[in-house]
């Protein structure tokens, strides 16, 4: 196995240009599991931990190399809430935002937040940069639009973050559990509301009809919330698997979205 | 004669003290060598090729591609087994490597040895295995209908015409639970150059391993030295062989040491599990709340090989009711042969599954009668002088059923969820922030467990020990296996208090040095290894006193009255004083055709009370607290008792709300710790424990084995509490969120 350990972004992109199909290693919390299970045997690896540019975090951009631990203790409400639910403290110390995007699990915990924000994924190669909307980047379970030779540099955020953000996740354990359903609701000062759910379809889903119902300045009535819950259930496509039935996921998604929405007023 | 007055020292670290474990600090500081840390000069690494179908005809195995790889030294199949090609503790029906037919998902087909683990793994993958898929048998009722039965235990007792006015009946299910010991299977076989070998592997009983290994390897028992091992947990899963025979085959073939370590996924198919069960119950009582009749049909999923299933189903059947009197009992317990993963021993050994069902039945009966559930249990509780409702055995020794029920009820309930308590870790859903405080409903549930101690049904059950007294103190030799439960501490405490000498060391011997201590299971070793050590130490003390005509022995030496006759070094100047004991408990009987007889040597009871907070809309459960009153005989080491209680409760509550091997037509869908969920420290409840001490007339210093009970009735108590919170019937363990939500379609 060949391992490149670039110490800057340009070096990393050069390494990728020379070996476009190299496997990218950040925190390793997904990759090394697959290696240990022998599901993957990478011939060459570009290790990203020494690339300082990937760890940058400012108003508009979160670097792909920012760890869950930093997100958990950071200033952004929704991001802190979701980061706390990822794995154990050891996992959160090394796992990264970029890794969550690169793996593109339907249950990825950062993805509902990015979708609710309408964030963009910034990709770079030695030929330049491009930005893809979250739903252009996430194509299916563990499938993304990242091309050979490209690196996820980070996430581009909207000009102003919504003042109200809430994240919630259902799992059969108090912590350290893969989502059965996860959900993020954000609400702008003008009442515009966006709702995204994970683990209820091949990729993270926006419940756009439900959003439209509650986007407004008035706090919704119980009847509207009932309708909101029902719309959320209609807008997802969960499956049966070893973690839960599709019927439970559909039910829980409605409950979770409604409660998460209500937290945006508290 | 010295005129100096010497103060007689008091023994340190005797029974009743919370003596710390000798292995505690090395374990938490990473300096304890577990099985996986073993190393031998010149060793090679083994790996296993497994089948990927739950049932198939084995068409062809070709190891040539593995053998042609650089660094590969051997690739063996069932044709290469040097001796008997089948193994098993009771019946030898499990092929060492698959032969003719694959009968379970992940069954070993071939083994390889190579220079390093990675090469070994790739070589195993390179072996050509052709399978012709067959329809697996995975449903218990279908297995029964087809007569696919390892053992049927039939119990009939009392007046067949006895009928009660109040009737409750239902079918209950418990899923397969994995023992999930943190240490995976690992081992090392080292040839001795004389045709035999030394073997370190995961075990709870080295002598029974030796019997099987010698037969399969074509060696005499003396040529196989099964070494004591340093396990990272067992819970029953090391009672049956896993990688030992494979290691032995490879080491003998190559004449060099071979090591093997399973990863977590392989471990899930590499060890036995708690039987999944389907149980049909009918309870009848009179208006006064006395049990009149219980009928039970118990179906246990044994997987394809018998292993210990025939003994497990006996326990299920004999403890089908719990610790209650009843006029008429009809139990039919079946251990069934299927193509699901092999089941075997796990903490509670078959008594757990019926405890889940029967305790739910007691709650339902109480409701039907308008009685408090504890009052109903007290009205039927058995104790000394009663007969076990199933086997008819007279209870001769202390059995404080009513006392544990009253004691657990007397423990104050925990505070209600504080209105201001917004710490999400204390709410259902935890860090997932799913559940607002005002959606939480609290429930309280109780359950009582009964189980036998030691081996039963006429088994010749013994344990050997040898105690030596030297100038340095005493050393206890035993082949008993310390699996992490703390026997090493208890035996030393027993010998200290018996001899009066504080410096006591426990030496774990291989099978060539001392006879069997029996299995570290069935809550045995405190009483079995403990009594063997106690008897040996008693004789050593007598001999020490007789040597010099003394009347007292302690750390200073031998005394007569106030006079120190000789220090220890002088006492043993001509050689150590030693004594060897083979200890047996009183014999038990074999069951008659109706399952009747004095089948057990003794019993133990515990009562649990669970307090849960439930989010009924999402079906999420947080276990707030579990209180337990536990029959212990006498507490030899209170801290260790509390450790066993807390660990056992975590395992029992885990099975109540999350621990399940998810099976899909014989295939395990969650063979990892990502998806086989064990309780974390945020899930484990507060534990309030009361030790009920009624000394056993035959246990060392009155002690009883006890470590299975904390697991047993924790599961039904938690589910009872969820029922109380939600009103749902919940006839299955573990309870899944969708079971709590209900009516999803």
């Amino acid at each position: 196995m060949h391992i490149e350990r670039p110490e800057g972004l340009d070096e990393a992109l050069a390494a990728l240009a020379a070996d476009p199909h190299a496997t990218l290693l950040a925190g390793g919390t997904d990759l090394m599991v697959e290696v240990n299970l022998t599901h993957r045997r990478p011939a060459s690896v570009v290790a990203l931990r020494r690339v300082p540019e990937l760890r940058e975090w400012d108003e508009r951009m979160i670097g792909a190399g920012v760890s869950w631990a930093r997100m958990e203790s950071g200033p952004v409400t929704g991001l802190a809430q979701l980061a706390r639910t990822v794995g154990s403290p050891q996992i959160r110390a090394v796992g990264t935002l970029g890794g969550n995007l690169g793996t593109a699990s339907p249950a990825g915990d950062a993805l509902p937040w990015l979708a609710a924000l309408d964030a963009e994924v910034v990709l770079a190669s030695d030929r330049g940069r491009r930005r893809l909307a979250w739903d252009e980047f996430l194509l299916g379970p563990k499938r993304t639009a990242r091309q050979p030779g490209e690196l996820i540099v980070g996430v581009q955020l909207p000009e102003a973050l919504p003042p109200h953000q809430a994240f919630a996740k259902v799992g059969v354990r108090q912590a350290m559990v893969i989502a059965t359903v996860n959900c993020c609701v954000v609400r702008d000062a003008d009442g515009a509301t966006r709702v995204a759910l994970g683990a209820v379809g091949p990729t993270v889903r926006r419940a756009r009809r439900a959003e439209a119902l509650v986007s407004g300045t008035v706090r919704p009535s119980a009847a509207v919330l009932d309708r909101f819950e029902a719309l959320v259930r209609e807008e997802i496509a969960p499956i049966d698997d070893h973690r839960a039935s599709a019927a439970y996921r559909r039910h829980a998604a409605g409950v979770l979205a409604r409660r998460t929405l209500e937290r945006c007023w508290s | 004669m010295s005129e100096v007055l010497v103060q007689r020292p008091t023994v340190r670290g005797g029974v009743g003290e919370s003596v710390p474990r000798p292995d505690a600090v090395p374990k938490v500081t990473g300096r304890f060598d577990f099985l996986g840390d073993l190393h031998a000069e010149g060793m090679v690494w083994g790996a296993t090729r497994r089948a990927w179908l739950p049932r198939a005809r084995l068409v062809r195995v070709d190891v040539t591609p593995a053998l042609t790889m650089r660094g590969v030294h051997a690739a063996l199949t069932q044709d290469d087994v040097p001796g008997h090609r089948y193994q098993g503790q009771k019946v030898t029906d499990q092929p060492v490597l698959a032969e003719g037919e694959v009968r379970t998902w992940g069954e070993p087909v071939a083994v390889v040895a190579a220079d390093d683990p990675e090469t070994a793994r790739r070589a195993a993958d390179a072996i050509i295995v052709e399978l012709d898929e067959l329809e697996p048998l995975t449903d218990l009722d279908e297995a029964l209908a087809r007569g696919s039965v390892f053992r049927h235990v039939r119990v009939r007792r009392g007046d067949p015409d006895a009928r009660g006015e109040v009737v409750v009946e239902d079918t209950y299910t418990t899923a397969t639970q994995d023992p999930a010991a943190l240490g995976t299977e690992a081992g090392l076989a080292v040839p001795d150059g004389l045709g035999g070998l030394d073997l370190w592997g995961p075990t709870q009983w080295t002598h029974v391993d030796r019997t099987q290994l010698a037969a399969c390897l074509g060696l005499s028992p003396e040529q196989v030295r099964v070494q004591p091992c340093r396990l990272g947990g067992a819970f029953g899963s090391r009672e049956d062989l896993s990688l030992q025979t494979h290691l032995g085959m490879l080491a003998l073939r190559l004449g060099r040491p071979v090591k093997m370590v399973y990863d977590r996924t392989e471990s899930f198919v590499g060890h036995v599990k708690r039987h999944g069960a389907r149980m049909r119950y009918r309870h009848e009582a009179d208006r006064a709340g006395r049990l009149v009749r219980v009928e039970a049909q118990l179906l246990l999923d044994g997987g394809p090989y018998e292993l210990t299933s025939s003994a497990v189903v006996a326990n299920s059947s004999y403890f089908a009711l719990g610790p209650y009197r009843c006029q008429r009992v009809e139990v039919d317990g079946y251990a069934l042969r299927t193509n699901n993963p092999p089941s075997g021993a796990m903490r509670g050994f078959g008594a757990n599954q019926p405890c889940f069902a029967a305790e739910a039945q007691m709650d339902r009966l109480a409701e039907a009668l308008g009685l408090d559930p504890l009052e109903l249990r007290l009205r039927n509780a058995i104790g000394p002088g009663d007969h076990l409702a199933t086997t008819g055995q007279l209870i001769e020794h202390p059995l404080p059923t009513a006392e544990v029920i009253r004691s657990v009820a007397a423990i104050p309930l925990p505070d209600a969820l504080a209105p201001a308590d917004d710490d999400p870790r204390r709410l259902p859903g935890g860090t997932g922030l799913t559940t607002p405080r005002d959606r939480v409903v609290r429930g309280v549930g109780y359950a009582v467990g009964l189980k036998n101690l030691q081996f039963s049904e006429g088994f010749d059950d013994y344990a050997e020990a040898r105690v030596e007294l030297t100038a340095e103190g005493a050393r206890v030799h035993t082949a008993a296996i310390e699996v992490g439960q703390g026997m090493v501490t208890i035996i030393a405490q027993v010998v200290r208090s018996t001899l009066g000498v504080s410096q006591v060391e426990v030496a774990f011997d291989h099978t060539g040095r001392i006879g069997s201590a029996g299995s570290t299971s069935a809550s045995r070793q405190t009483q079995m290894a403990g009594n063997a050590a106690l008897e040996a130490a008693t004789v050593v003390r007598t001999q020490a006193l007789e040597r010099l005509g003394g009347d007292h022995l302690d750390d200073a030496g031998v005394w007569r009255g106030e006079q120190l006759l000789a220090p220890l070094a002088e006492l043993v100047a001509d050689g150590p004083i030693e004594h060897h004991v083979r200890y047996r408990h009183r014999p038990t009987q074999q069951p008659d055709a109706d399952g009747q007889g004095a089948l057990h040597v003794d019993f133990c009871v515990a009562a649990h009370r669970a307090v849960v907070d439930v989010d009924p809309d999402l079906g999420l459960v947080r276990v707030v607290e579990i209180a337990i009153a536990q029959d212990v005989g006498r507490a030899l080491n209170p801290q260790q008792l509390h450790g066993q209680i807390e660990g056992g409760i975590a395992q029992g509550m885990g099975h109540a709300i999350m621990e399940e091997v998810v099976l899909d037509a014989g295939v395990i869908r969650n063979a990892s710790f990502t998806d086989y969920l064990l309780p974390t420290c945020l899930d484990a409840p507060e534990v309030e424990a009361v030790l009920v001490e009624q000394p056993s007339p035959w246990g060392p210093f009155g002690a009883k084995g006890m470590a299975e009970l904390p697991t047993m009735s924790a599961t039904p108590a938690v589910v009872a509490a969820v029922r109380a919170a939600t009103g749902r019937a919940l006839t299955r363990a573990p309870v899944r969120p969708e079971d709590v939500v209900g009516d999803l379609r």
Side-chain angles (χ1 to χ4, degrees):
Chain A
M1 188 189 301
H2 179 77
I3 300 179
E4 284 291 330
R5 294 186 290 179
E7 300 197 343
L9 186 57
D10 290 342
E11 265 185 55
L13 296 178
L16 265 180
D19 185 3
H21 291 280
T23 298
L24 295 168
L25 170 66
T29 59
D30 287 331
L31 176 63
M32 290 313 296
V33 172
E34 298 214 327
V35 170
N36 286 337
L37 290 173
T38 70
H39 295 166
R40 280 179 77 172
R41 253 176 231 290
S44 61
V45 170
V46 176
L48 299 169
R49 199 178 297 172
R50 289 166 190 76
V51 180
E53 293 93 326
L54 296 178
R55 292 196 299 273
E56 288 170 5
W57 181 355
D58 60 34
E59 299 276 296
R60 293 296 307 277
M61 173 101 166
I62 305 178
V66 171
S67 69
W68 300 112
R70 281 179 67 198
M71 293 182 250
E72 184 184 348
S73 58
V76 184
T77 317
L79 198 55
Q81 288 172 359
L82 72 89
R84 173 65 182 91
T85 72
V86 176
S88 61
Q90 295 91 326
I91 297 281
R92 296 200 292 277
V94 294
T96 65
L97 181 63
N100 210 228
L101 279 164
T103 295
S105 159
D109 287 314
L111 308 182
W113 184 75
L114 296 173
L117 250 59
D118 272 328
E120 293 175 322
V121 180
V122 182
L123 295 157
S125 69
D126 69 332
R127 295 183 306 280
R129 290 194 174 213
R130 61 178 181 139
R131 293 196 333 216
L132 292 178
W134 64 272
D135 53 349
E136 294 167 340
F137 175 79
L138 296 169
L139 300 180
K142 307 210 167 179
R143 283 198 303 119
T144 73
R146 186 179 77 85
Q147 294 298 309
E150 277 190 316
L151 180 66
I152 303 167
V153 177
V155 169
Q156 181 83 28
L157 302 175
E159 268 180 52
L161 287 178
H164 306 288
Q165 306 175 19
F167 174 88
K169 163 171 159 179
V170 173
V172 186
R173 196 154 70 175
Q174 295 290 100
M176 226 171 104
V177 65
I178 308 257
T180 302
V181 180
N182 54 19
C183 175
C184 184
V185 178
V186 301
R187 193 167 162 88
D188 295 336
D190 66 2
T193 302
R194 291 176 298 282
V195 179
L197 296 112
V200 291
T203 62
V204 63
R205 291 253 168 163
R206 284 275 294 275
R208 294 187 192 271
R209 287 160 59 212
E211 290 174 4
L213 183 72
V214 297
S215 283
T217 49
V218 184
R219 185 166 187 151
S221 65
V224 171
L225 289 173
D226 287 346
R227 178 74 188 130
F228 172 83
E229 210 176 309
L231 283 174
V232 166
R233 291 189 179 118
E234 287 174 18
E235 291 184 84
I236 56 176
I239 56 165
D240 288 316
D241 69 10
H242 58 275
R243 294 186 189 125
S245 66
Y248 173 76
R249 283 194 164 98
R250 197 177 288 283
H251 164 83
V255 173
L256 204 63
R258 177 183 185 144
R259 287 180 179 177
T260 311
L261 175 71
E262 287 182 307
R263 276 165 50 201
C264 286
W265 274 281
S266 59
Chain B
M1 191 63 55
S2 166
E3 291 300 308
V4 181
L5 272 179
V6 181
Q7 198 73 35
R8 281 188 180 180
T10 314
V11 72
R12 299 180 311 277
V15 299
E17 291 182 39
S18 287
V19 177
R21 305 169 52 122
D23 52 348
V25 171
K27 277 180 176 167
V28 297
T29 54
R31 284 183 285 108
F32 185 89
D33 282 336
F34 287 98
L35 270 174
D37 300 315
L38 289 170
H39 179 83
E41 278 309 308
M43 72 183 186
V44 292
W45 291 78
T48 312
R49 176 61 187 270
R50 294 176 182 275
W52 62 92
L53 293 171
R55 184 165 174 241
R57 194 168 62 82
L58 186 57
V59 180
R60 186 167 77 105
V61 183
D62 182 357
V63 299
T64 316
L67 287 172
T68 54
M69 289 171 65
R70 187 195 301 272
V72 175
H73 301 282
L76 307 180
T77 69
Q78 179 75 338
D79 294 337
D80 301 301
V81 177
H84 190 56
R85 298 197 313 279
Y86 289 78
Q87 60 193 21
Q89 198 185 126
K90 296 180 187 303
V91 174
T92 55
D93 63 350
Q94 180 176 28
V96 172
L97 293 162
E99 177 174 333
E101 185 174 319
V102 167
R103 294 182 186 84
T104 191
W105 185 71
E107 180 150 22
V109 175
V111 288
V112 300
D115 283 338
D116 59 81
E118 180 68 9
T119 304
R121 201 158 60 177
R122 286 192 293 116
D125 288 346
I127 293 171
I128 296 167
V129 178
E130 274 182 40
L131 300 180
D132 184 8
E133 188 165 7
L134 298 170
E135 184 70 24
L137 175 57
T138 58
D139 180 76
L140 295 179
D141 280 298
E142 195 183 336
L144 182 64
R146 287 202 213 165
S148 189
V149 178
F150 292 119
R151 182 179 176 188
H152 170 204
V153 177
R154 179 179 176 276
V155 178
R156 295 290 184 276
R157 182 161 186 272
D159 173 8
D161 298 323
R163 287 286 172 185
E165 283 179 71
V166 183
V167 179
V168 293
E169 56 188 323
D170 212 331
T171 300
Y172 298 86
T173 305
T174 56
T176 302
Q177 184 180 22
D178 196 86
L182 290 186
T184 64
E185 290 69 17
L188 178 70
V190 182
D192 61 12
L194 303 166
L197 51 74
D198 289 83
L199 197 136
W200 288 259
T203 184
Q204 293 172 235
W205 187 358
T206 49
H207 285 78
V208 80
D209 286 5
R210 179 180 69 168
T211 305
Q212 296 176 73
L213 285 166
C216 292
L217 297 176
L219 301 175
S220 71
E222 294 70 32
Q223 288 177 290
V224 180
R225 285 165 302 281
V226 180
Q227 296 281 349
C229 66
R230 291 153 76 94
L231 275 177
F235 309 115
S237 65
R238 281 74 172 96
E239 286 221 298
D240 295 296
L241 294 176
S242 49
L243 42 64
Q244 289 94 328
T245 324
H246 304 155
L247 282 171
M249 287 168 65
L250 290 166
L252 289 178
R253 172 66 69 102
L254 296 173
R256 61 194 289 191
V258 182
K259 177 176 176 172
M260 207 185 276
V261 180
Y262 286 178
D263 67 17
R264 182 60 60 189
T265 302
E266 187 167 27
S267 179
F268 267 94
V269 296
H271 60 238
V272 296
K273 309 182 191 314
R274 186 189 301 292
H275 293 69
R278 186 175 295 155
M279 300 167 283
R280 298 186 174 89
Y281 268 83
R282 179 183 169 95
H283 277 55
E284 301 182 10
D286 64 18
R287 288 280 166 205
R290 283 183 300 247
L291 278 182
V292 177
R293 184 181 187 93
V294 172
E295 297 170 10
Q297 184 204 48
L298 313 172
L299 308 183
L300 270 63
D301 190 341
Y305 305 115
E306 183 159 333
L307 305 172
T308 54
S309 282
S310 52
V312 171
V313 72
N315 257 20
S316 302
S317 305
Y318 302 141
F319 302 102
L321 269 71
Y324 308 116
R325 291 182 292 270
C326 182
Q327 291 176 38
R328 173 66 182 175
V329 171
E330 298 187 1
V331 178
D332 289 285
Y334 299 89
L336 297 164
R337 183 197 297 271
T338 70
N339 296 110
N340 285 321
S343 299
M346 185 174 163
R347 202 175 197 170
F349 202 74
N352 308 50
Q353 295 92 332
C355 183
F356 172 74
E359 287 298 292
Q361 286 284 95
M362 292 300 278
D363 285 343
R364 286 210 186 170
L365 205 50
E367 194 184 352
L369 287 158
L371 272 179
D372 176 81
L374 291 184
E375 177 57 30
L376 174 69
R377 287 170 170 87
L378 285 168
R379 285 185 192 180
N380 293 283
I382 53 167
D386 287 323
H387 295 264
L388 196 62
T390 46
T391 64
Q393 179 169 358
L394 176 67
I395 310 291
E396 295 173 79
H397 296 156
L399 187 69
T401 308
E403 288 83 348
V404 296
I405 294 172
R406 290 199 182 95
S407 298
V408 82
I411 298 172
L413 279 163
D415 293 337
L417 195 60
D421 189 352
D422 267 329
D423 185 340
R425 294 173 301 178
R426 283 198 275 271
L427 295 166
T431 59
L433 305 176
T434 54
T435 305
R437 208 171 50 243
D438 60 7
R439 296 304 307 154
V440 176
V441 185
R442 180 158 288 189
V444 179
Y446 292 88
V448 188
L450 169 72
K451 196 195 169 283
N452 56 328
L453 303 171
Q454 330 300 329
F455 291 158
S456 304
E457 293 190 307
F459 191 88
D460 180 20
D461 192 7
Y462 63 85
E464 295 195 4
R466 192 172 82 250
V467 172
E468 306 169 346
L469 184 63
T470 68
E472 284 76 48
R475 176 176 294 173
V476 192
H477 291 267
T478 175
I481 290 296
E482 168 66 44
V483 299
Q485 85 282 32
M487 177 197 66
V488 62
T489 324
I490 296 295
I491 288 183
Q493 288 179 266
V494 165
V495 170
R496 286 187 195 109
S497 287
T498 307
L499 277 179
V501 173
S502 303
Q503 184 56 48
V504 175
E505 180 195 358
V506 178
F508 295 106
D509 284 348
H510 66 66
T511 50
R513 285 238 178 93
I514 194 167
S516 170
S519 181
T520 295
S521 66
S523 299
R524 277 182 80 258
Q525 294 297 22
T526 291
Q527 284 170 292
M528 297 302 290
N531 266 339
L534 185 148
E535 287 195 0
T538 303
V539 173
V540 166
R541 179 176 179 275
T542 304
Q543 288 178 357
L545 297 178
E546 282 173 355
R547 251 189 206 188
L548 298 174
D551 58 20
H552 179 78
L553 176 68
D554 61 27
D555 289 329
V558 177
W559 301 69
R560 185 189 302 131
E562 296 302 307
Q563 184 191 358
L564 181 62
L565 298 177
L568 276 185
E570 204 173 303
L571 170 70
V572 297
D574 296 334
I577 300 171
E578 58 181 8
H579 190 72
H580 173 266
V581 159
R582 175 179 280 195
Y583 172 80
R584 283 185 164 82
H585 63 67
R586 62 175 182 165
T588 57
Q589 296 175 341
Q590 292 187 356
D592 69 12
D594 286 334
Q596 301 298 293
L599 314 184
H600 304 109
V601 65
D602 213 342
F603 308 93
C604 188
V605 284
H608 285 77
R609 180 190 68 205
V611 177
V612 302
D613 281 342
V614 182
D615 175 345
D617 302 319
L618 288 174
L620 301 176
V621 177
R622 174 169 182 265
V623 183
V624 176
E625 184 205 82
I626 294 187
I628 178 173
Q630 162 94 43
D631 167 24
V632 299
R634 187 178 162 204
L636 300 189
N637 185 320
Q639 187 180 46
Q640 283 201 176
L641 277 173
H642 284 281
Q644 285 296 320
I645 285 172
E646 293 192 8
I649 281 176
Q651 203 160 31
M653 67 75 74
H655 193 36
I657 61 171
M658 62 181 86
E659 285 192 48
E660 169 177 6
V661 177
V662 178
L663 291 172
D664 176 5
V667 177
I668 302 178
R669 291 296 180 201
N670 59 339
S672 74
F673 279 172
T674 303
D675 279 318
Y676 184 88
L677 298 182
L678 296 162
T680 70
C681 59
L682 289 188
D683 301 280
E686 293 296 318
V687 171
E688 291 293 331
V690 172
L691 307 180
V692 176
E693 294 193 89
Q694 294 189 1
S696 159
W698 66 279
F701 297 94
K704 276 184 170 182
M706 51 65 68
E708 292 169 285
L709 272 297
T711 304
M712 262 181 70
S713 32
T715 309
V718 168
V719 177
V722 181
R723 285 187 201 107
T726 61
R728 300 253 170 231
L730 303 178
T731 54
R732 180 192 194 276
V735 171
R736 297 161 297 196
E738 53 201 89
D739 301 328
V740 177
V741 173
D743 310 322
L744 280 173
R745 287 170 213 276

